[in-house]
Amino acid sequence: MAQDRPFNTAEMVSVLEWYRAAGVDLAVGEEPVNRFAQRAPVRPVAAVQAQDAAPAPHGAPLALPSAFLVDPAAARALAAGAQSLAELEAIVGAYDGCGLKLRATQLCFADGNPEAQIMLIGEAPGAEEDRQGKPFVGKSGQLLDRMLAAIGLDRTKVYIANTVPWRPPGNRTPTPEELAICLPFLHRQVELVAPKVILTLGGPAMQTVFSTSTGILKMRGRWSTVQMGNHGVEALPTLHPAYLLRNPAAKQQAWRDMLSLKQRIDTLGIS
Ligand code: URA
């Protein structure tokens, strides 16, 4: 039935509750946008290869190779073509092979100083990051800024990225497939920044960067050399600021990790 009077307060609250239950947790515009209608659907790589390899019917133009390969090898080839971070950002922004892009508001590529020798890698953008297009600008980002300040760092001295550059719906953890598809872009990002040290934030970022399935509580605080593309670099896993907000008692472990980072950057003469 058509609504011919303005909603009253109780009705507006119940509409908002309905949106929240349906997973809508961020208002980004006045009008709804059907992002699924905007882009061609992501197709499995086998189906794409079969179609690309199939002979064209009589007289039909050859089908163009798909731009939607759900395939880390395709992402790797694209990433390898980037000669600068600006080029890489444009390539990632145009890439349609990761389904996360369909539900995200925008690309959230990086923040901080691209010349920095210290790189931070988080898990994935959250709601505020998705709105602003920058990593770690929400509540956990504010705590991260305080953690950095405690050892004399700020965003002019570090470069910050995430394992995936689009917000997973409802802030869920990225799937192994999403991580694998985006990993070549992260590798190229690390190659282009060429940091001397990496600090990973939280379990999924650590597992991606260290190629491990070990839990964060076992591995945090231990330095190892990791290979990111063709760049070998010392990396330290620490706890995610969002975890610290939920578990303040764990801050003492994170503090130890930050002191370890401080000691390493002093030893390496990084300013
Ligand atoms: N958590 C992350 O891992 N990354 C962000 O950018 C924000 C929150």
Side-chain angles (χ1 to χ4, degrees), residues 108 121-127 129 134-138 140-141 160-163 201 205 240-242:
C108 180
I121 301 179
E123 176 182 333
E129 289 74 20
K134 278 189 197 169
F136 284 103
V137 289
S140 57
I160 310 178
N162 279 308
T163 55
L201 301 162
H240 196 287

Side-chain angles (χ1 to χ4, degrees), residues 22 49 51 54-55 64 101 121 162 169 175 181 187 195 243:
Q49 281 166 346
Q51 182 212 299
L64 287 174
K101 185 181 179 183
I121 301 179
N162 279 308
T175 64
I181 287 166
H187 278 174
Y243 175 82

Side-chain angles (χ1 to χ4, degrees), residues 90-171:
I91 288 169
V92 178
Y95 180 68
D96 284 315
C98 178
L100 289 177
K101 185 181 179 183
L102 290 173
R103 302 269 301 269
T105 307
Q106 59 182 316
L107 178 71
C108 180
F109 185 70
D111 195 25
N113 182 356
E115 314 270 301
Q117 294 177 304
I118 306 163
M119 182 163 174
L120 273 49
I121 301 179
E123 176 182 333
E128 192 54 30
E129 289 74 20
D130 182 62
R131 207 171 65 74
Q132 294 192 33
K134 278 189 197 169
F136 284 103
V137 289
K139 281 223 170 88
S140 57
Q142 288 159 18
L143 176 55
L144 178 62
D145 286 341
R146 293 199 293 278
M147 291 161 70
L148 292 172
I151 56 165
L153 297 175
D154 59 31
R155 292 186 189 223
T156 66
K157 295 179 182 150
V158 302
Y159 179 85
I160 310 178
N162 279 308
T163 55
V164 296
W166 295 282
R167 181 194 183 203
N171 292 347

